[in-house]
Amino acid sequence: MAVGLLPDVLAKPLARLERFGFLILIGLLALPTLLGLHFSILGALISGPVEILHSFITTITGLQEI
C-alpha cells in the first residue's frame, strides 16, 4: 500500500523489501530474545489493550475489587 503512495525514488527500494516483510516482522519481534533481553515487544503491544479489556469485563460483571 505504501508503495503506491510514495514517490518512485522511495517506492522502488520499498517494493524490493516487500517480499521479505513477514520475515522482517518476525525478526523484529524475536530480536529482544535473540539479544538475551527480557523484554517482549509483542507483550508490550498487547498488554495495554488487554488491561483495558480486563478492566471493562470485571467492571460490567461486578467482579472488580474496590
Side-chain angles (χ1 to χ4, degrees):
M1 173 148 179
V3 173
L5 298 174
L6 293 172
D8 287 342
V9 175
L10 298 173
K12 287 180 183 178
L14 182 60
R16 279 185 252 132
L17 281 176
E18 203 169 33
R19 62 182 151 158
F20 302 111
F22 188 69
L23 292 174
I24 292 169
L25 181 63
I26 295 298
L28 289 174
L29 291 174
L31 187 63
T33 304
L34 296 174
L35 295 176
L37 302 173
H38 298 288
F39 174 73
S40 168
I41 295 172
L42 190 57
L45 291 172
I46 292 175
S47 65
V50 168
E51 288 291 325
I52 292 169
L53 183 61
H54 178 264
S55 176
F56 174 73
I57 291 172
T58 56
T59 300
I60 64 170
T61 58
L63 298 174
Q64 189 172 17
E65 296 180 28
I66 298 175

CSV table of all heavy atoms in Angstrom, one decimal:
chain,number,residue,atom,x,y,z
A,1,MET,N,0.8,-1.2,0.0
A,1,MET,CA,0.0,0.0,0.0
A,1,MET,C,0.9,1.3,0.0
A,1,MET,O,0.6,2.2,-0.7
A,1,MET,CB,-0.9,0.0,1.2
A,1,MET,CG,-1.7,1.3,1.3
A,1,MET,SD,-3.3,1.0,2.1
A,1,MET,CE,-3.8,2.7,2.1
A,2,ALA,N,1.9,1.3,0.8
A,2,ALA,CA,2.8,2.4,0.9
A,2,ALA,C,3.5,2.7,-0.4
A,2,ALA,O,3.8,3.8,-0.8
A,2,ALA,CB,3.7,2.3,2.0
A,3,VAL,N,3.8,1.6,-1.2
A,3,VAL,CA,4.5,1.7,-2.4
A,3,VAL,C,3.7,2.6,-3.4
A,3,VAL,O,4.3,3.4,-4.1
A,3,VAL,CB,4.7,0.3,-3.0
A,3,VAL,CG1,5.3,0.5,-4.4
A,3,VAL,CG2,5.7,-0.5,-2.1
A,4,GLY,N,2.4,2.5,-3.4
A,4,GLY,CA,1.6,3.3,-4.3
A,4,GLY,C,1.5,4.8,-3.9
A,4,GLY,O,1.2,5.7,-4.7
A,5,LEU,N,1.7,5.1,-2.6
A,5,LEU,CA,1.6,6.4,-2.1
A,5,LEU,C,3.0,7.2,-2.2
A,5,LEU,O,3.0,8.4,-2.1
A,5,LEU,CB,1.1,6.4,-0.7
A,5,LEU,CG,-0.3,5.8,-0.4
A,5,LEU,CD1,-0.6,5.7,1.0
A,5,LEU,CD2,-1.3,6.6,-1.1
A,6,LEU,N,4.1,6.5,-2.2
A,6,LEU,CA,5.4,7.1,-2.1
A,6,LEU,C,5.9,7.5,-3.5
A,6,LEU,O,5.5,6.9,-4.5
A,6,LEU,CB,6.4,6.1,-1.5
A,6,LEU,CG,6.2,5.8,-0.1
A,6,LEU,CD1,7.2,4.7,0.3
A,6,LEU,CD2,6.4,7.0,0.8
A,7,PRO,N,6.8,8.5,-3.6
A,7,PRO,CA,7.4,8.8,-4.9
A,7,PRO,C,8.3,7.7,-5.3
A,7,PRO,O,8.7,6.8,-4.5
A,7,PRO,CB,8.2,10.1,-4.6
A,7,PRO,CG,8.1,10.3,-3.1
A,7,PRO,CD,7.2,9.4,-2.5
A,8,ASP,N,8.5,7.6,-6.6
A,8,ASP,CA,9.3,6.5,-7.2
A,8,ASP,C,10.6,6.2,-6.5
A,8,ASP,O,11.0,5.1,-6.4
A,8,ASP,CB,9.5,6.7,-8.7
A,8,ASP,CG,8.2,6.5,-9.5
A,8,ASP,OD1,7.3,5.8,-8.9
A,8,ASP,OD2,8.1,6.9,-10.6
A,9,VAL,N,11.3,7.3,-6.1
A,9,VAL,CA,12.6,7.2,-5.5
A,9,VAL,C,12.5,6.4,-4.3
A,9,VAL,O,13.4,5.6,-4.0
A,9,VAL,CB,13.2,8.6,-5.2
A,9,VAL,CG1,14.5,8.5,-4.5
A,9,VAL,CG2,13.3,9.4,-6.5
A,10,LEU,N,11.5,6.5,-3.5
A,10,LEU,CA,11.3,5.8,-2.2
A,10,LEU,C,10.5,4.5,-2.4
A,10,LEU,O,10.7,3.5,-1.7
A,10,LEU,CB,10.6,6.6,-1.2
A,10,LEU,CG,11.3,7.9,-0.8
A,10,LEU,CD1,10.4,8.7,0.1
A,10,LEU,CD2,12.6,7.6,-0.1
A,11,ALA,N,9.7,4.4,-3.4
A,11,ALA,CA,8.8,3.3,-3.6
A,11,ALA,C,9.6,2.1,-4.2
A,11,ALA,O,9.3,0.9,-3.8
A,11,ALA,CB,7.7,3.6,-4.6
A,12,LYS,N,10.5,2.3,-5.0
A,12,LYS,CA,11.3,1.2,-5.6
A,12,LYS,C,12.1,0.3,-4.6
A,12,LYS,O,12.0,-0.9,-4.5
A,12,LYS,CB,12.2,1.6,-6.7
A,12,LYS,CG,11.4,2.0,-8.0
A,12,LYS,CD,12.3,2.5,-9.1
A,12,LYS,CE,11.4,2.9,-10.3
A,12,LYS,NZ,12.2,3.5,-11.4
A,13,PRO,N,12.8,1.0,-3.7
A,13,PRO,CA,13.5,0.2,-2.6
A,13,PRO,C,12.5,-0.5,-1.7
A,13,PRO,O,12.8,-1.7,-1.3
A,13,PRO,CB,14.3,1.2,-1.9
A,13,PRO,CG,14.5,2.4,-2.8
A,13,PRO,CD,13.3,2.4,-3.6
A,14,LEU,N,11.4,0.1,-1.4
A,14,LEU,CA,10.4,-0.5,-0.5
A,14,LEU,C,9.8,-1.7,-1.2
A,14,LEU,O,9.5,-2.7,-0.6
A,14,LEU,CB,9.4,0.5,-0.1
A,14,LEU,CG,8.3,0.0,0.8
A,14,LEU,CD1,8.9,-0.4,2.1
A,14,LEU,CD2,7.3,1.1,1.1
A,15,ALA,N,9.5,-1.6,-2.5
A,15,ALA,CA,8.9,-2.7,-3.3
A,15,ALA,C,9.9,-3.9,-3.3
A,15,ALA,O,9.4,-5.0,-3.2
A,15,ALA,CB,8.6,-2.2,-4.7
A,16,ARG,N,11.2,-3.7,-3.3
A,16,ARG,CA,12.1,-4.8,-3.3
A,16,ARG,C,12.1,-5.5,-1.9
A,16,ARG,O,12.4,-6.7,-1.8
A,16,ARG,CB,13.5,-4.3,-3.6
A,16,ARG,CG,13.7,-4.1,-5.1
A,16,ARG,CD,15.2,-3.8,-5.4
A,16,ARG,NE,15.1,-2.4,-5.9
A,16,ARG,CZ,15.9,-1.4,-5.4
A,16,ARG,NH1,16.9,-1.7,-4.6
A,16,ARG,NH2,15.8,-0.2,-5.9
A,17,LEU,N,11.9,-4.7,-0.8
A,17,LEU,CA,11.8,-5.3,0.5
A,17,LEU,C,10.5,-5.9,0.8
A,17,LEU,O,10.4,-6.7,1.8
A,17,LEU,CB,12.1,-4.2,1.6
A,17,LEU,CG,13.5,-3.7,1.8
A,17,LEU,CD1,13.5,-2.6,2.8
A,17,LEU,CD2,14.3,-4.9,2.3
A,18,GLU,N,9.5,-5.6,0.1
A,18,GLU,CA,8.1,-6.1,0.4
A,18,GLU,C,8.0,-7.6,0.5
A,18,GLU,O,7.3,-8.1,1.4
A,18,GLU,CB,7.2,-5.6,-0.7
A,18,GLU,CG,5.8,-5.4,-0.3
A,18,GLU,CD,4.9,-4.7,-1.3
A,18,GLU,OE1,5.2,-4.8,-2.5
A,18,GLU,OE2,4.0,-4.0,-0.9
A,19,ARG,N,8.7,-8.3,-0.3
A,19,ARG,CA,8.6,-9.8,-0.2
A,19,ARG,C,9.2,-10.4,1.0
A,19,ARG,O,8.9,-11.5,1.4
A,19,ARG,CB,9.2,-10.4,-1.5
A,19,ARG,CG,10.6,-10.2,-1.6
A,19,ARG,CD,11.1,-10.8,-2.9
A,19,ARG,NE,12.2,-10.1,-3.4
A,19,ARG,CZ,13.1,-10.5,-4.2
A,19,ARG,NH1,13.0,-11.8,-4.7
A,19,ARG,NH2,14.1,-9.8,-4.6
A,20,PHE,N,10.0,-9.6,1.7
A,20,PHE,CA,10.6,-10.1,2.9
A,20,PHE,C,10.0,-9.5,4.2
A,20,PHE,O,10.4,-9.6,5.3
A,20,PHE,CB,12.1,-9.7,3.0
A,20,PHE,CG,12.9,-10.2,1.8
A,20,PHE,CD1,13.4,-9.4,0.9
A,20,PHE,CD2,13.2,-11.6,1.7
A,20,PHE,CE1,14.1,-9.9,-0.2
A,20,PHE,CE2,13.9,-12.1,0.7
A,20,PHE,CZ,14.4,-11.2,-0.3
A,21,GLY,N,8.8,-8.8,4.0
A,21,GLY,CA,8.2,-8.1,5.1
A,21,GLY,C,7.8,-9.0,6.3
A,21,GLY,O,8.0,-8.6,7.4
A,22,PHE,N,7.3,-10.2,6.0
A,22,PHE,CA,6.9,-11.0,7.1
A,22,PHE,C,8.1,-11.5,7.9
A,22,PHE,O,8.1,-11.5,9.1
A,22,PHE,CB,6.1,-12.2,6.5
A,22,PHE,CG,5.5,-13.1,7.6
A,22,PHE,CD1,4.5,-12.6,8.4
A,22,PHE,CD2,6.0,-14.4,7.9
A,22,PHE,CE1,3.9,-13.4,9.4
A,22,PHE,CE2,5.5,-15.1,8.8
A,22,PHE,CZ,4.4,-14.7,9.6
A,23,LEU,N,9.2,-11.8,7.2
A,23,LEU,CA,10.4,-12.3,7.8
A,23,LEU,C,11.0,-11.1,8.7
A,23,LEU,O,11.5,-11.4,9.8
A,23,LEU,CB,11.4,-12.8,6.8
A,23,LEU,CG,11.1,-14.1,6.1
A,23,LEU,CD1,12.1,-14.4,5.0
A,23,LEU,CD2,11.0,-15.2,7.1
A,24,ILE,N,11.0,-9.9,8.1
A,24,ILE,CA,11.5,-8.8,8.9
A,24,ILE,C,10.6,-8.6,10.1
A,24,ILE,O,11.2,-8.3,11.2
A,24,ILE,CB,11.5,-7.5,8.0
A,24,ILE,CG1,12.5,-7.6,6.9
A,24,ILE,CG2,11.7,-6.2,8.8
A,24,ILE,CD1,12.4,-6.6,5.8
A,25,LEU,N,9.3,-8.7,10.0
A,25,LEU,CA,8.5,-8.5,11.2
A,25,LEU,C,8.7,-9.6,12.2
A,25,LEU,O,8.9,-9.2,13.4
A,25,LEU,CB,7.0,-8.6,10.7
A,25,LEU,CG,5.9,-8.4,11.8
A,25,LEU,CD1,6.0,-7.1,12.5
A,25,LEU,CD2,4.6,-8.7,11.3
A,26,ILE,N,8.9,-10.8,11.8
A,26,ILE,CA,9.2,-11.9,12.8
A,26,ILE,C,10.5,-11.6,13.4
A,26,ILE,O,10.7,-11.8,14.6
A,26,ILE,CB,9.2,-13.3,12.1
A,26,ILE,CG1,7.8,-13.6,11.6
A,26,ILE,CG2,9.7,-14.4,13.0
A,26,ILE,CD1,6.7,-13.7,12.7
A,27,GLY,N,11.5,-11.2,12.6
A,27,GLY,CA,12.8,-10.9,13.2
A,27,GLY,C,12.8,-9.8,14.2
A,27,GLY,O,13.5,-9.9,15.2
A,28,LEU,N,12.0,-8.7,13.9
A,28,LEU,CA,11.9,-7.6,14.9
A,28,LEU,C,11.2,-8.1,16.2
A,28,LEU,O,11.6,-7.6,17.3
A,28,LEU,CB,11.2,-6.5,14.3
A,28,LEU,CG,11.9,-5.7,13.2
A,28,LEU,CD1,11.0,-4.6,12.6
A,28,LEU,CD2,13.2,-5.0,13.8
A,29,LEU,N,10.3,-9.0,16.1
A,29,LEU,CA,9.6,-9.4,17.3
A,29,LEU,C,10.5,-10.4,18.1
A,29,LEU,O,10.4,-10.4,19.3
A,29,LEU,CB,8.3,-10.2,16.9
A,29,LEU,CG,7.2,-9.3,16.3
A,29,LEU,CD1,6.0,-10.2,15.9
A,29,LEU,CD2,6.7,-8.3,17.4
A,30,ALA,N,11.4,-11.1,17.4
A,30,ALA,CA,12.2,-12.0,18.1
A,30,ALA,C,13.5,-11.4,18.5
A,30,ALA,O,14.3,-12.0,19.3
A,30,ALA,CB,12.5,-13.2,17.2
A,31,LEU,N,13.9,-10.2,18.1
A,31,LEU,CA,15.1,-9.6,18.3
A,31,LEU,C,15.5,-9.5,19.8
A,31,LEU,O,16.6,-9.8,20.2
A,31,LEU,CB,15.2,-8.2,17.7
A,31,LEU,CG,16.5,-7.5,17.7
A,31,LEU,CD1,17.6,-8.3,17.0
A,31,LEU,CD2,16.4,-6.1,17.1
A,32,PRO,N,14.6,-9.0,20.7
A,32,PRO,CA,15.0,-9.0,22.1
A,32,PRO,C,15.4,-10.3,22.7
A,32,PRO,O,16.3,-10.4,23.5
A,32,PRO,CB,13.7,-8.4,22.8
A,32,PRO,CG,13.0,-7.7,21.7
A,32,PRO,CD,13.3,-8.5,20.5
A,33,THR,N,14.7,-11.4,22.3
A,33,THR,CA,15.0,-12.7,22.8
A,33,THR,C,16.4,-13.1,22.3
A,33,THR,O,17.2,-13.7,23.0
A,33,THR,CB,13.9,-13.7,22.4
A,33,THR,OG1,12.7,-13.3,22.8
A,33,THR,CG2,14.2,-15.1,22.9
A,34,LEU,N,16.6,-12.9,21.0
A,34,LEU,CA,17.9,-13.2,20.4
A,34,LEU,C,19.1,-12.5,21.1
A,34,LEU,O,20.2,-13.0,21.1
A,34,LEU,CB,17.9,-12.9,18.9
A,34,LEU,CG,16.9,-13.8,18.1
A,34,LEU,CD1,16.9,-13.3,16.6
A,34,LEU,CD2,17.3,-15.3,18.2
A,35,LEU,N,18.8,-11.3,21.5
A,35,LEU,CA,19.8,-10.5,22.2
A,35,LEU,C,20.0,-10.8,23.7
A,35,LEU,O,20.8,-10.2,24.4
A,35,LEU,CB,19.6,-9.0,22.0
A,35,LEU,CG,19.6,-8.5,20.6
A,35,LEU,CD1,19.2,-7.0,20.5
A,35,LEU,CD2,21.0,-8.6,20.0
A,36,GLY,N,19.1,-11.7,24.2
A,36,GLY,CA,19.2,-12.1,25.6
A,36,GLY,C,18.5,-11.1,26.5
A,36,GLY,O,18.7,-11.1,27.7
A,37,LEU,N,17.6,-10.2,26.0
A,37,LEU,CA,16.9,-9.3,26.8
A,37,LEU,C,15.6,-9.9,27.2
A,37,LEU,O,15.0,-10.7,26.6
A,37,LEU,CB,16.6,-8.0,26.0
A,37,LEU,CG,17.8,-7.3,25.4
A,37,LEU,CD1,17.4,-6.2,24.5
A,37,LEU,CD2,18.7,-6.8,26.5
A,38,HIS,N,15.2,-9.5,28.4
A,38,HIS,CA,13.9,-10.0,28.9
A,38,HIS,C,12.8,-8.9,28.7
A,38,HIS,O,12.2,-8.4,29.6
A,38,HIS,CB,14.0,-10.3,30.4
A,38,HIS,CG,15.0,-11.3,30.7
A,38,HIS,ND1,14.8,-12.7,30.4
A,38,HIS,CD2,16.3,-11.3,31.2
A,38,HIS,CE1,15.8,-13.4,30.7
A,38,HIS,NE2,16.8,-12.6,31.2
A,39,PHE,N,12.6,-8.6,27.4
A,39,PHE,CA,11.6,-7.7,27.0
A,39,PHE,C,10.9,-8.2,25.8
A,39,PHE,O,11.5,-8.7,24.9
A,39,PHE,CB,12.2,-6.3,26.7
A,39,PHE,CG,11.3,-5.3,26.1
A,39,PHE,CD1,10.4,-4.7,26.9
A,39,PHE,CD2,11.3,-5.0,24.8
A,39,PHE,CE1,9.5,-3.8,26.4
A,39,PHE,CE2,10.4,-4.1,24.2
A,39,PHE,CZ,9.5,-3.4,25.1
A,40,SER,N,9.6,-8.2,25.8
A,40,SER,CA,8.8,-8.7,24.7
A,40,SER,C,8.1,-7.5,24.0
A,40,SER,O,7.2,-6.9,24.6
A,40,SER,CB,7.8,-9.7,25.2
A,40,SER,OG,6.8,-10.0,24.2
A,41,ILE,N,8.4,-7.3,22.8
A,41,ILE,CA,7.8,-6.3,22.0
A,41,ILE,C,6.3,-6.6,21.9
A,41,ILE,O,5.4,-5.7,22.1
A,41,ILE,CB,8.4,-6.1,20.6
A,41,ILE,CG1,9.9,-5.6,20.8
A,41,ILE,CG2,7.6,-5.1,19.8
A,41,ILE,CD1,10.7,-5.6,19.5
A,42,LEU,N,6.0,-7.9,21.5
A,42,LEU,CA,4.6,-8.3,21.4
A,42,LEU,C,3.8,-8.1,22.7
A,42,LEU,O,2.7,-7.6,22.7
A,42,LEU,CB,4.6,-9.7,20.9
A,42,LEU,CG,3.2,-10.2,20.4
A,42,LEU,CD1,2.6,-9.4,19.3
A,42,LEU,CD2,3.3,-11.7,19.9
A,43,GLY,N,4.4,-8.5,23.8
A,43,GLY,CA,3.8,-8.3,25.1
A,43,GLY,C,3.5,-6.9,25.4
A,43,GLY,O,2.5,-6.5,26.0
A,44,ALA,N,4.5,-6.0,25.1
A,44,ALA,CA,4.3,-4.6,25.3
A,44,ALA,C,3.2,-4.0,24.5
A,44,ALA,O,2.4,-3.1,24.9
A,44,ALA,CB,5.6,-3.8,25.0
A,45,LEU,N,3.0,-4.5,23.2
A,45,LEU,CA,1.9,-4.0,22.4
A,45,LEU,C,0.6,-4.5,22.8
A,45,LEU,O,-0.4,-3.8,22.7
A,45,LEU,CB,2.2,-4.5,20.9
A,45,LEU,CG,3.4,-3.8,20.2
A,45,LEU,CD1,3.6,-4.5,18.9
A,45,LEU,CD2,3.1,-2.4,20.0
A,46,ILE,N,0.5,-5.7,23.3
A,46,ILE,CA,-0.7,-6.3,23.7
A,46,ILE,C,-1.2,-6.0,25.1
A,46,ILE,O,-2.4,-5.9,25.4
A,46,ILE,CB,-0.6,-7.9,23.5
A,46,ILE,CG1,-0.5,-8.2,22.0
A,46,ILE,CG2,-1.8,-8.6,24.1
A,46,ILE,CD1,-0.3,-9.6,21.8
A,47,SER,N,-0.3,-5.7,26.0
A,47,SER,CA,-0.6,-5.5,27.4
A,47,SER,C,-1.6,-4.4,27.7
A,47,SER,O,-2.5,-4.5,28.5
A,47,SER,CB,0.6,-5.4,28.3
A,47,SER,OG,1.3,-4.2,28.0
A,48,GLY,N,-1.5,-3.3,27.0
A,48,GLY,CA,-2.4,-2.2,27.2
A,48,GLY,C,-3.8,-2.5,26.9
A,48,GLY,O,-4.7,-2.4,27.7
A,49,PRO,N,-4.1,-3.0,25.6
A,49,PRO,CA,-5.5,-3.4,25.3
A,49,PRO,C,-6.0,-4.5,26.2
A,49,PRO,O,-7.2,-4.5,26.5
A,49,PRO,CB,-5.4,-3.8,23.8
A,49,PRO,CG,-4.2,-3.1,23.3
A,49,PRO,CD,-3.2,-3.0,24.4
A,50,VAL,N,-5.2,-5.4,26.6
A,50,VAL,CA,-5.6,-6.5,27.4
A,50,VAL,C,-6.1,-6.0,28.8
A,50,VAL,O,-7.1,-6.4,29.4
A,50,VAL,CB,-4.6,-7.6,27.6
A,50,VAL,CG1,-4.9,-8.6,28.7
A,50,VAL,CG2,-4.4,-8.3,26.3
A,51,GLU,N,-5.3,-5.0,29.3
A,51,GLU,CA,-5.6,-4.4,30.6
A,51,GLU,C,-7.0,-3.7,30.6
A,51,GLU,O,-7.8,-3.8,31.4
A,51,GLU,CB,-4.5,-3.5,31.1
A,51,GLU,CG,-3.3,-4.1,31.5
A,51,GLU,CD,-3.5,-4.9,32.8
A,51,GLU,OE1,-4.2,-4.4,33.7
A,51,GLU,OE2,-2.9,-6.0,33.0
A,52,ILE,N,-7.2,-2.9,29.5
A,52,ILE,CA,-8.4,-2.2,29.3
A,52,ILE,C,-9.6,-3.2,29.2
A,52,ILE,O,-10.6,-3.0,29.8
A,52,ILE,CB,-8.3,-1.3,28.0
A,52,ILE,CG1,-7.3,-0.2,28.3
A,52,ILE,CG2,-9.7,-0.7,27.6
A,52,ILE,CD1,-7.0,0.6,27.0
A,53,LEU,N,-9.4,-4.2,28.4
A,53,LEU,CA,-10.5,-5.2,28.2
A,53,LEU,C,-10.8,-5.9,29.6
A,53,LEU,O,-11.9,-6.1,29.9
A,53,LEU,CB,-10.1,-6.3,27.2
A,53,LEU,CG,-11.1,-7.3,26.8
A,53,LEU,CD1,-12.4,-6.7,26.3
A,53,LEU,CD2,-10.5,-8.3,25.8
A,54,HIS,N,-9.7,-6.3,30.3
A,54,HIS,CA,-9.9,-6.9,31.6
A,54,HIS,C,-10.7,-6.0,32.6
A,54,HIS,O,-11.6,-6.4,33.3
A,54,HIS,CB,-8.5,-7.3,32.2
A,54,HIS,CG,-8.6,-7.9,33.5
A,54,HIS,ND1,-8.4,-7.2,34.7
A,54,HIS,CD2,-8.9,-9.2,33.9
A,54,HIS,CE1,-8.6,-8.0,35.7
A,54,HIS,NE2,-8.8,-9.2,35.3
A,55,SER,N,-10.3,-4.7,32.6
A,55,SER,CA,-11.0,-3.8,33.5
A,55,SER,C,-12.4,-3.6,33.1
A,55,SER,O,-13.3,-3.6,33.9
A,55,SER,CB,-10.3,-2.4,33.4
A,55,SER,OG,-10.9,-1.5,34.1
A,56,PHE,N,-12.7,-3.6,31.8
A,56,PHE,CA,-14.1,-3.4,31.3
A,56,PHE,C,-14.9,-4.7,31.7
A,56,PHE,O,-16.0,-4.5,32.2
A,56,PHE,CB,-14.1,-3.3,29.8
A,56,PHE,CG,-15.4,-3.3,29.1
A,56,PHE,CD1,-16.3,-2.2,29.3
A,56,PHE,CD2,-15.9,-4.4,28.4
A,56,PHE,CE1,-17.5,-2.2,28.7
A,56,PHE,CE2,-17.2,-4.4,27.9
A,56,PHE,CZ,-18.0,-3.3,28.0
A,57,ILE,N,-14.4,-5.8,31.5
A,57,ILE,CA,-15.1,-7.1,31.8
A,57,ILE,C,-15.4,-7.2,33.3
A,57,ILE,O,-16.5,-7.5,33.7
A,57,ILE,CB,-14.4,-8.3,31.3
A,57,ILE,CG1,-14.5,-8.3,29.7
A,57,ILE,CG2,-15.0,-9.6,31.8
A,57,ILE,CD1,-13.6,-9.4,29.1
A,58,THR,N,-14.4,-6.9,34.1
A,58,THR,CA,-14.6,-7.0,35.6
A,58,THR,C,-15.5,-6.0,36.1
A,58,THR,O,-16.3,-6.2,37.0
A,58,THR,CB,-13.2,-6.9,36.3
A,58,THR,OG1,-12.5,-5.7,36.0
A,58,THR,CG2,-12.4,-8.1,36.0
A,59,THR,N,-15.6,-4.8,35.4
A,59,THR,CA,-16.5,-3.8,35.9
A,59,THR,C,-17.9,-4.1,35.5
A,59,THR,O,-18.8,-4.0,36.4
A,59,THR,CB,-16.1,-2.4,35.2
A,59,THR,OG1,-14.8,-2.0,35.6
A,59,THR,CG2,-17.1,-1.3,35.6
A,60,ILE,N,-18.2,-4.6,34.3
A,60,ILE,CA,-19.6,-4.9,33.9
A,60,ILE,C,-20.1,-6.1,34.6
A,60,ILE,O,-21.3,-6.3,34.7
A,60,ILE,CB,-19.7,-5.0,32.4
A,60,ILE,CG1,-18.9,-6.1,31.8
A,60,ILE,CG2,-19.4,-3.7,31.7
A,60,ILE,CD1,-19.3,-6.4,30.3
A,61,THR,N,-19.2,-7.0,35.0
A,61,THR,CA,-19.7,-8.3,35.7
A,61,THR,C,-19.7,-8.1,37.2
A,61,THR,O,-20.2,-8.9,37.9
A,61,THR,CB,-18.7,-9.5,35.4
A,61,THR,OG1,-17.4,-9.1,35.7
A,61,THR,CG2,-18.8,-9.8,33.9
A,62,GLY,N,-19.2,-6.9,37.7
A,62,GLY,CA,-19.3,-6.7,39.1
A,62,GLY,C,-18.2,-7.4,39.9
A,62,GLY,O,-18.3,-7.5,41.1
A,63,LEU,N,-17.2,-7.9,39.2
A,63,LEU,CA,-16.1,-8.6,39.9
A,63,LEU,C,-14.9,-7.8,40.3
A,63,LEU,O,-14.0,-8.3,40.8
A,63,LEU,CB,-15.6,-9.8,39.0
A,63,LEU,CG,-16.7,-10.8,38.6
A,63,LEU,CD1,-16.1,-11.8,37.6
A,63,LEU,CD2,-17.1,-11.6,39.9
A,64,GLN,N,-15.0,-6.5,40.0
A,64,GLN,CA,-13.9,-5.6,40.3
A,64,GLN,C,-13.7,-5.4,41.8
A,64,GLN,O,-14.7,-5.1,42.5
A,64,GLN,CB,-14.1,-4.3,39.5
A,64,GLN,CG,-12.9,-3.4,39.6
A,64,GLN,CD,-13.0,-2.1,38.7
A,64,GLN,OE1,-14.1,-1.8,38.3
A,64,GLN,NE2,-11.9,-1.5,38.4
A,65,GLU,N,-12.5,-5.5,42.2
A,65,GLU,CA,-12.2,-5.2,43.6
A,65,GLU,C,-12.2,-3.7,43.9
A,65,GLU,O,-11.7,-2.9,43.1
A,65,GLU,CB,-10.9,-5.8,44.0
A,65,GLU,CG,-10.8,-7.3,43.9
A,65,GLU,CD,-9.5,-7.8,44.3
A,65,GLU,OE1,-8.8,-7.2,45.1
A,65,GLU,OE2,-9.1,-8.9,43.8
A,66,ILE,N,-12.8,-3.4,45.0
A,66,ILE,CA,-12.9,-2.0,45.4
A,66,ILE,C,-11.7,-1.6,46.3
A,66,ILE,O,-11.3,-2.3,47.1
A,66,ILE,CB,-14.2,-1.6,46.1
A,66,ILE,CG1,-15.3,-1.9,45.1
A,66,ILE,CG2,-14.2,-0.2,46.5
A,66,ILE,CD1,-16.7,-1.8,45.6
